[in-house]
Amino acid sequence: MHGQYIEQRTMTGASSLSWDLAHHLFTRHMAGKVVIVGEKPDILLSSLKKQWVKLTRRVQRERSSTLDAPRIVALTTMISDMQELAFTTEAPLDQPRASVFIMHPKQLDDVLPVCRTIYITCSVPEETLAASITCAPAGSLVVGYDDAITTLIKNTEALVS
Amino acid sequence: MSFHNDGQIGHSHDAVKAILRAYGISEFTFSVADSGIENTTFIVVTPQEQYALRVYRHSKKQDGEIERELAFMDALRAQGMPIPVVLPNTKGEQISIVSFDDKTWEALLCEYVEGVHPTAYTETLIGRMADLQAQMHSLGAAFDSDNAPTRHLKHLAEAEFVKRIDIARLRSTDLQQLIERISDYQISIDPALPYGYSHFDFDAGNILVDARGELSAILDFDDLQYGPLVVCLGYTLYDILQETSSVELVRAYIARYNKTRKLTPNELAWLPITMLFRHYVMVALRVLNDRTDPYDVQKYLALEKQLMTLDLSD
């Protein structure tokens, strides 16, 4: 690895993958571009966008209930940033302005954007994963869902180091 | 897609004649000075005098609201502020209620004041406006304070124009998102802010300057309401910023305003919020009137960004 961080997420029955992704993305979207690797990008895109809109509404509700002026200003900027976050399942070269790329493992062989966060939600061939992680700059975060994927990420760490 | 001024009186000679009958005026010529959202103003010329005749949008106001508007204007005038005198009709009443075209219209006949709307915000004009607005706010905080209405401005939310915009028809994704932000911008106003009656539309479009450049009249108290005074100030500062793009002029205005009425730190913190709200209202109105070309959209977005990060603290 080249200074990337690894985080393991474990799904519980109470929340869906898209719910968890949206809430995690909330803490990461300002860091830079994001790649999410999933088995069914189109379905994931749809459910993730829905969760993102719900999250944005929550921030809007918080804004409308606070009377603290600096907080209102901060939340207004946050809402604007959240609303402008562009999700896509297209290749980075086709959608250079997008911020969140939802990709099938096979697409990882294409040119990847310089991303600060990679979410792995399905199995990915070790070599492909290693190549993808190597592209991410130092300080990036690789998030693996479920133990097997995190183990794979750690094996890949050994592979590339 | 456009916004029509629903409920405005027609600009016909018969319409003006019907209203002027209440003042015993039969011989006149007229021109339309302004036909805004809330009222229509005619300049009426008789062989003896000139007047400004304002006719309110049909069913817009209740009599009590216009009476309060007139009382507030009287209070300001009594303190030496340049407010045109409202003239009585033949019954001795300031508000004329006239039937025309199967509708009832409320009208005021005002003295004509020489002057034109300023074409630019100069430092001199800004200084005078700031003095007058601060004075108006000091008076407005005390005006009728024993009968402060229980229904007053408690939220900032654009509900008038944005609902009429067909977002799906807008070509620009950026503009669609902006309209969504406008639609979602709902702010609860801090009740601890100083409240009072004020103009809430005090900008270059509602003042006159004479040939010497002196501010000769404050017009159109149609938006008079009881609300946080900082909101009224924010609306004015928004207009200055969008016309001049000068944050320095905005700061100069605040500094001058503070000499007559000192803003609290909380009011200062609320100014950018109210200015952004005013921007959203004006953008919604412009989009409704088809001001949606890419140049306009870029201007809307740039000003929005500027207002989101505007820091007016000392």
Side-chain angles (χ1 to χ4, degrees):
Chain A
M1 297 287 277
H2 298 78
Q4 296 93 345
Y5 297 96
I6 295 176
E7 180 181 336
Q8 179 184 317
R9 307 282 299 170
T10 304
M11 297 299 300
T12 65
S15 59
S16 66
L17 173 64
S18 56
W19 185 96
D20 196 76
L21 274 171
H23 283 72
H24 198 282
L25 185 60
F26 180 73
T27 66
R28 292 294 301 172
H29 74 281
M30 294 303 289
K33 289 187 187 282
V34 173
V35 167
I36 302 172
V37 186
E39 276 291 351
K40 296 174 178 170
D42 288 335
I43 293 172
L44 187 54
L45 171 70
S46 169
S47 57
L48 181 58
K49 278 177 81 170
K50 207 173 280 180
Q51 291 294 341
W52 193 247
V53 169
K54 277 188 181 178
L55 209 49
T56 309
R57 295 266 177 249
R58 258 182 67 184
V59 181
Q60 284 166 347
R61 280 199 298 276
E62 186 185 341
R63 180 179 62 180
S64 65
S65 64
T66 184
L67 302 175
D68 180 54
R71 183 77 182 137
I72 291 170
V73 171
L75 291 172
T76 298
T77 307
M78 189 186 291
I79 290 163
S80 174
D81 290 338
M82 288 178 76
Q83 195 196 30
E84 285 174 359
L85 200 71
F87 297 79
T88 185
T89 55
E90 292 182 41
L93 287 176
D94 295 331
Q95 286 289 340
R97 286 183 65 192
S99 309
V100 180
F101 296 88
I102 304 175
M103 308 172 86
H104 189 271
K106 284 179 184 169
Q107 290 176 281
L108 292 177
D109 294 330
D110 298 341
V111 178
L112 289 183
V114 176
C115 57
R116 295 284 173 179
T117 313
I118 303 175
Y119 294 95
I120 310 292
T121 71
C122 62
S123 62
V124 178
E126 274 190 37
E127 283 186 8
T128 308
L129 188 57
S132 307
I133 292 174
T134 307
C135 288
S140 302
L141 178 66
V142 182
V143 182
Y145 278 82
D146 295 329
D147 293 350
I149 293 167
T150 307
T151 305
L152 178 64
I153 292 170
K154 284 180 177 163
N155 289 345
T156 306
E157 181 182 359
L159 196 71
V160 296
S161 57
Chain B
M1 183 165 52
S2 65
F3 179 66
H4 299 289
N5 297 336
D6 299 338
Q8 298 281 13
I9 197 163
H11 299 171
S12 69
H13 189 272
D14 284 349
V16 178
K17 184 179 173 184
I19 292 166
L20 289 180
R21 198 175 294 134
Y23 297 88
I25 296 172
S26 55
E27 193 180 343
F28 66 91
T29 58
F30 77 97
S31 58
V32 180
D34 184 31
S35 187
I37 294 167
E38 304 298 351
N39 61 56
T40 300
T41 302
F42 301 97
I43 301 299
V44 174
V45 182
T46 70
Q48 295 82 28
E49 291 283 348
Q50 279 194 84
Y51 305 98
L53 175 67
R54 186 198 305 168
V55 185
Y56 290 88
R57 184 156 64 105
H58 178 62
S59 302
K60 162 67 180 165
K61 290 216 169 193
Q62 295 172 345
D63 289 350
E65 292 177 286
I66 301 177
E67 281 165 13
R68 188 178 296 113
E69 186 181 324
L70 294 173
F72 188 63
M73 290 167 69
D74 288 343
L76 299 185
R77 196 185 310 104
Q79 296 300 315
M81 295 183 69
I83 311 292
V85 174
V86 178
L87 303 166
N89 58 24
T90 52
K91 294 179 188 168
E93 295 164 347
Q94 288 182 305
I95 306 168
S96 295
I97 300 168
V98 176
S99 292
F100 178 76
D101 208 12
D102 296 330
K103 287 178 182 158
T104 303
W105 304 93
E106 289 151 326
L108 304 179
L109 189 69
C110 303
E111 66 169 336
Y112 178 80
V113 178
E114 288 288 346
V116 294
H117 295 302
T119 53
Y121 284 112
T122 62
E123 282 186 32
T124 309
L125 178 64
I126 275 178
R128 184 68 179 131
M129 285 178 69
D131 291 343
L132 288 170
Q133 190 173 29
Q135 189 185 356
M136 190 189 326
H137 287 173
S138 297
L139 294 167
F143 179 78
D144 205 15
S145 56
D146 293 340
N147 298 307
T150 50
R151 284 186 65 201
H152 54 70
L153 189 60
K154 292 176 182 171
H155 301 95
L156 298 177
E158 205 301 289
E160 180 85 11
F161 308 128
V162 80
K163 65 185 177 192
R164 303 183 193 211
I165 297 172
D166 184 355
I167 293 181
R169 284 186 59 193
L170 300 174
R171 288 183 193 159
S172 155
T173 309
D174 287 340
L175 185 56
Q176 287 179 347
Q177 288 182 340
L178 175 58
I179 297 301
E180 281 173 20
R181 283 196 292 281
I182 293 171
S183 178
D184 296 333
Y185 195 74
Q186 295 177 10
I187 306 292
S188 299
I189 297 171
D190 185 353
L193 287 165
Y195 272 65
Y197 284 96
S198 194
H199 191 287
F200 285 89
D201 199 15
F202 182 67
D203 59 32
N206 282 324
I207 58 176
L208 296 178
V209 290
D210 62 21
R212 292 171 299 152
E214 296 287 327
L215 201 156
S216 56
I218 302 173
L219 309 173
D220 201 350
F221 283 76
D222 205 46
D223 288 321
L224 176 78
Q225 62 178 317
Y226 185 81
L229 298 166
V230 69
V231 176
C232 179
L233 176 60
Y235 289 0
T236 304
L237 295 179
Y238 164 73
D239 198 62
I240 293 170
L241 185 63
Q242 69 103 18
E243 285 292 332
T244 66
S245 303
S246 169
V247 177
E248 289 314 306
L249 274 183
V250 170
R251 287 183 176 281
Y253 193 103
I254 294 169
R256 185 69 175 258
Y257 179 101
N258 271 327
K259 288 182 179 175
T260 302
R261 178 181 176 271
K262 179 80 176 159
L263 289 167
T264 66
N266 196 24
E267 285 185 299
L268 208 49
W270 271 85
L271 269 179
I273 297 168
T274 63
M275 293 169 73
L276 179 61
F277 173 68
R278 185 66 162 181
H279 178 55
Y280 282 162
V281 173
M282 300 313 288
V283 168
L285 181 58
R286 286 168 189 153
V287 169
L288 206 48
N289 286 322
D290 286 331
R291 296 268 304 274
T292 58
D293 69 52
Y295 177 73
D296 286 327
V297 174
Q298 286 313 307
K299 274 179 68 178
Y300 302 155
L301 294 171
L303 188 51
E304 182 195 29
K305 287 281 178 218
Q306 187 179 14
L307 289 167
M308 277 186 185
T309 55
L310 185 64
D311 182 5
L312 296 173
S313 54
D314 296 330

